[in-house]
Amino acid sequence: MARQGLSRALVTASWLAEAVRAGRVGAGLRVLDASWYPSKERNARQEFKERHIPGASFFDIEECRDKSSPYDFMLPSESHFADYVEGLGVSNDTHVVVYDGDEVGTFYAPRAWWMFRAFGHKEVSVLNGGFKNWVKEGYPVTAEVTQPTRAVFKARLNRALVKTFEEMVENVSSLKFQVVDSRPEGRFRGTELDQGLESGHIPGAVNIPFHSFLSETGHEKSIEEIQEIFREKKVDLSKPLTATCRKGVTACQIALAAFLCGKRDVAVYDGSWSEWFHRAPPHYKVSELKRSKA
């Protein structure tokens, strides 16, 4: 794959298929299915049991999170993350490849990719095109569940990659960093509900829906196309940048897209709109719907 040297942020299905065929999945290479779906739509764990990439383990985002937080999918503690990934056979020397089975191609895998990076792990990649294209291209699947040998993982949170509510509030006036919101346009503008919440956005944020970076087949667009998307929205990749969304998931698609362009320091606002909606003062929630009612 072109430019796979960018710390292997992406790997192709053909590359991973060859690694599987050659028996390289093990202590040095772990494959993780990071799928998650609303419970009424699909059951990610059950689908994993029925078919997955040979040698893969299930990365349960419901388990690897801060369960004490009122907000979805907030980062767990260093010790919690380390303990969880150790059970998946991941050490600090393991190359981790994450994927998911979403129909868009890639949805939750970038969140797992970012989590590993946030906890100091650099050798982590997203399977370009996801499980959808792995199956479409005829690569092997299995229902056989492997039990990886427990490893040792030392986690150290890189706080530069995570933004807190307080930092986001301060930035509204200081403008120390750019903010890109990856939600659909209607939710960003405040014209449609955001999974039950009134929608809108953080003052000063720019909207780039995450699917903008994906091709019709569900693969990442070319680096040149991604750069043009950022340019069109007047996002300067040479300056500090933070990504946000509904619950810190698709924001990671922004971080991945920027990483592919050589920008490795994009932070994610972990609480995203879920937290902002509940904690920010009313005048810090920009909504066209509110303006139209005024």
Side-chain angles (χ1 to χ4, degrees):
M1 187 196 76
R3 305 199 191 192
Q4 197 154 288
L6 270 178
S7 289
R8 294 189 284 190
L10 290 178
V11 295
T12 61
S14 60
W15 181 91
L16 184 56
E18 173 56 26
V20 170
R21 189 198 64 77
R24 296 205 302 271
V25 177
L29 174 64
R30 293 294 183 196
V31 182
L32 304 179
D33 181 336
S35 300
W36 184 90
Y37 314 109
S39 58
K40 293 181 180 180
E41 296 179 12
R42 296 170 64 179
N43 185 320
R45 184 175 285 276
Q46 183 59 38
E47 288 187 25
F48 172 81
K49 289 179 180 178
E50 292 170 0
R51 63 174 190 169
H52 53 264
I53 294 173
S57 297
F58 187 69
F59 183 93
D60 193 341
I61 201 167
E62 292 273 8
E63 292 297 321
C64 193
R65 65 183 176 93
D66 179 2
K67 296 183 180 180
S68 69
S69 173
Y71 309 113
D72 296 335
F73 306 137
M74 296 289 276
L75 280 176
S77 65
E78 291 173 334
S79 59
H80 182 172
F81 184 82
D83 180 68
Y84 185 77
V85 302
E86 285 176 349
L88 299 176
V90 175
S91 75
N92 296 95
D93 298 320
T94 304
H95 178 197
V96 177
V97 175
V98 292
Y99 72 91
D100 65 67
D102 199 275
E103 283 304 308
V104 300
T106 300
F107 200 107
Y108 272 80
R111 171 69 184 187
W113 170 84
W114 173 77
M115 288 173 72
F116 273 100
R117 293 193 64 245
F119 284 110
H121 196 68
K122 295 180 179 179
E123 280 298 309
V124 56
S125 312
V126 173
L127 174 62
N128 197 7
F131 190 61
K132 162 188 168 180
N133 282 291
W134 175 273
V135 173
K136 183 179 178 181
E137 293 169 31
Y139 293 116
V141 297
T142 184
E144 182 180 346
V145 177
T146 56
Q147 295 295 333
T149 302
R150 190 173 186 86
V152 175
F153 187 94
K154 301 296 183 185
R156 179 170 295 178
L157 181 62
N158 181 355
R159 298 191 180 278
L161 295 182
V162 188
K163 292 298 182 188
T164 65
F165 173 77
E166 291 75 18
E167 289 172 309
M168 298 300 291
V169 169
E170 197 271 337
N171 189 66
V172 172
S173 56
S174 70
L175 302 177
K176 290 180 180 177
F177 50 85
Q178 305 163 97
V179 178
V180 174
D181 190 318
S182 64
R183 291 174 301 154
E185 183 182 4
R187 295 180 184 181
F188 176 84
R189 292 169 56 193
T191 56
E192 63 181 59
L193 283 177
D194 193 345
Q195 299 176 39
L197 294 182
E198 290 181 21
S199 58
H201 62 267
I202 298 168
V206 172
N207 185 215
I208 307 180
F210 79 92
H211 56 75
S212 303
F213 299 108
L214 299 175
S215 69
E216 290 184 3
T217 62
H219 294 85
E220 289 287 327
K221 289 183 177 177
S222 71
I223 292 172
E224 292 73 24
E225 289 173 303
I226 292 172
Q227 289 172 330
E228 181 58 28
I229 290 168
F230 281 122
R231 275 196 297 268
E232 286 179 356
K233 292 290 186 173
K234 295 181 171 56
V235 175
D236 189 343
L237 293 182
S238 70
K239 296 179 179 179
L241 173 61
T242 294
T244 184
C245 56
R246 166 66 164 77
K247 50 189 177 183
V249 175
T250 61
C252 300
Q253 303 256 11
I254 304 292
L256 175 61
F259 190 98
L260 294 172
C261 297
K263 185 171 182 59
R264 304 174 180 225
D265 59 354
V266 173
V268 169
Y269 171 29
D270 205 23
S272 285
W273 186 252
S274 296
E275 181 179 44
W276 193 260
F277 173 80
H278 288 101
R279 297 186 63 188
H283 62 286
Y284 275 9
K285 290 180 273 192
V286 181
S287 169
E288 292 182 18
L289 194 60
K290 285 182 180 179
R291 288 202 297 267
S292 67
K293 289 180 178 178

